[in-house]
Amino acid sequence: MTTDDFFVLNNGIKMPCRGLGVFQNKNPETCEESILCAINRGYRMIDTAAVYGNEEAVGRAIKNCGVPRGQLFITTKLWYADCSRDMAKRALDRSLKKLGLDYVDLYLIHEPYGWIKSAWRGLEESVEEGKVRAIGVSNFGMAELKKLLVQANIAPAVDQIELHPYFQRAELVGFLQQNGILAEAWAPFAEGKRGIFTHPVLTDIAKKHGCTVAQLILAWLHARGIAVIPKSVRPERIAENFDFLGISPDEEDMRAVAALDGGESLFPWDKGWRRPMRKIMGFFHTGF
Ligand SMILES: NC(=O)c1ccc[n+]([C@@H]2O[C@H](COP(=O)([O-])OP(=O)(O)OC[C@H]3O[C@@H](n4cnc5c(N)ncnc54)[C@H](OP(=O)(O)O)[C@@H]3O)[C@@H](O)[C@H]2O)c1
């Protein structure tokens, strides 16, 4: 379910429809400044992860922003090296300490590696202990979600996945929606790859709506019922990326953007350094 500003998760909790991502925002001053700028602009959701190495900076921004904790929505993620019940609970405590918080709003299993079933129990217990308001996953495909849904006492509320005009994942997004799991787009701009900000189709549609390509992409994702967490460290872009809710792509626009789908990740999990990691961690899938 959605209103303009937020989605209602499958446990009834309201999650802002847009937030600031802080991946690759490692410099502590820049990270803190960009979050303060975003919160000042109206953002209420921040997306970090243990592996981003900036939870302390995020925590400082939360402390110094002047907005009551209850009005903020903070997401962090469990790295695969901590993916079992006890390790997950310890990792969450470490994240909370770094963030200076006694709870996070959303805690995600970052990647589908490790003892997922066991880690999920740890996350469920953390909900019972009041350390997390909602739990979910990231980078899970349909097969992994189906396994988890069978075993879970608490169904995942969110799947945070790569989603942008070049990789639209209609089948997975449909599956998530049918199962009451909110899709959240990471790399909504494909990190600027393949000239996304100057693509002629996107530029034409953006011109028609009097907006920028970045705003058009975020509006297009929003129209598909998908939460967004664009990253920027620049105040003018942070503001631009917040102001897209009035933009309504029509059916023709949706069809034109749909035609840009390449059907393939621009950040493939199975290539480069991920390949050996997946092979090693794949062993643990037997313990799912
Ligand atoms: N769960 C996962 O595995 C996973 C993986 C990747 C990302 N994420 C999350 O998703 C967030 C967003 O993804 P992302 O950071 O990878 O990529 P992204 O948001 O698609 O793109 C960020 C890039 O676009 C630039 N940019 C931002 N707004 C712009 C605008 N309006 N016009 C032109 N350029 C603009 C930024 O540069 P400047 O900063 O210089 O403006 C940065 O280089 C991350 O920060 C992270 O929180 C999660």
Side-chain angles (χ1 to χ4, degrees):
M1 190 167 87
T2 176
T3 74
D4 259 5
D5 278 343
F6 59 83
F7 291 101
V8 180
L9 300 180
N10 59 11
N11 61 359
I13 285 173
K14 287 180 180 177
M15 174 173 138
C17 67
R18 61 216 196 282
L20 182 77
V22 295
F23 179 43
Q24 300 177 107
N25 193 347
K26 271 206 162 174
N27 178 290
E29 283 81 38
T30 314
C31 185
E32 185 177 344
E33 272 167 29
S34 59
I35 294 170
L36 290 173
C37 170
I39 291 176
N40 197 31
R41 182 64 195 80
Y43 287 71
R44 291 295 177 263
M45 180 162 75
I46 307 297
D47 182 85
T48 184
V51 78
Y52 297 172
N54 56 15
E55 288 176 311
E56 281 110 337
V58 174
R60 271 195 304 282
I62 294 167
K63 191 172 166 218
N64 296 331
C65 71
V67 171
R69 168 69 184 97
Q71 290 179 25
L72 299 173
F73 192 102
I74 308 300
T75 302
T76 193
K77 311 185 194 86
L78 175 74
W79 191 231
Y80 72 84
D82 291 312
C83 209
S84 76
R85 175 185 169 274
D86 293 344
M87 289 194 292
K89 293 179 81 169
R90 282 198 293 272
L92 175 60
D93 285 340
R94 281 199 301 278
S95 285
L96 289 173
K97 193 167 175 209
K98 287 180 182 173
L99 289 161
L101 298 177
D102 47 20
Y103 70 91
V104 286
D105 298 276
L106 179 63
Y107 196 44
L108 304 177
I109 294 184
H110 203 143
E111 295 185 352
Y113 307 120
W115 285 284
I116 303 293
K117 181 180 174 185
S118 167
W120 193 253
R121 288 280 172 266
L123 266 60
E124 289 175 332
E125 288 174 22
S126 301
V127 173
E128 285 158 23
E129 291 160 11
K131 293 178 178 178
V132 185
R133 294 176 70 221
I135 53 178
V137 295
S138 179
N139 300 304
F140 275 46
M142 270 189 282
E144 290 135 348
L145 279 163
K146 280 177 188 166
K147 281 188 201 164
L148 182 57
L149 283 168
V150 169
Q151 293 161 348
N153 295 319
I154 301 176
V158 170
D159 190 7
Q160 186 183 111
I161 51 175
E162 178 190 349
L163 272 177
H164 44 74
Y166 299 143
F167 190 37
Q168 304 188 12
R169 317 185 79 170
E171 197 186 352
L172 177 55
V173 171
F175 175 86
L176 294 173
Q177 288 170 347
Q178 277 158 22
N179 285 279
I181 302 168
L182 180 68
E184 184 176 36
W186 66 252
F189 306 142
E191 292 185 3
K193 282 177 193 270
R194 295 201 187 158
I196 198 161
F197 294 113
T198 52
H199 192 290
V201 171
L202 299 174
T203 309
D204 278 357
I205 302 173
K207 210 180 280 172
K208 182 170 121 186
H209 290 277
C211 66
T212 66
V213 167
Q215 290 170 325
L216 171 74
I217 292 171
L218 298 173
W220 165 76
L221 285 161
H222 186 73
R224 294 177 68 205
I226 296 165
V228 295
I229 42 167
K231 174 260 175 187
S232 181
V233 295
R234 303 190 198 195
E236 70 282 7
R237 289 179 177 174
I238 289 172
E240 177 187 336
N241 297 344
F242 190 71
D243 292 330
F244 64 86
L245 287 184
I247 304 160
S248 304
D250 58 29
E251 275 179 31
E252 191 188 340
D253 303 331
M254 296 302 279
R255 269 198 302 277
V257 181
L260 303 182
D261 189 12
E264 274 184 14
S265 169
L266 300 196
F267 308 88
W269 296 105
D270 280 329
K271 288 191 182 155
W273 62 273
R274 290 189 185 277
R275 192 191 296 268
M277 182 185 82
R278 184 178 252 271
K279 273 193 181 155
I280 296 163
M281 296 311 290
F283 164 76
F284 294 119
H285 271 294
T286 51
F288 198 106

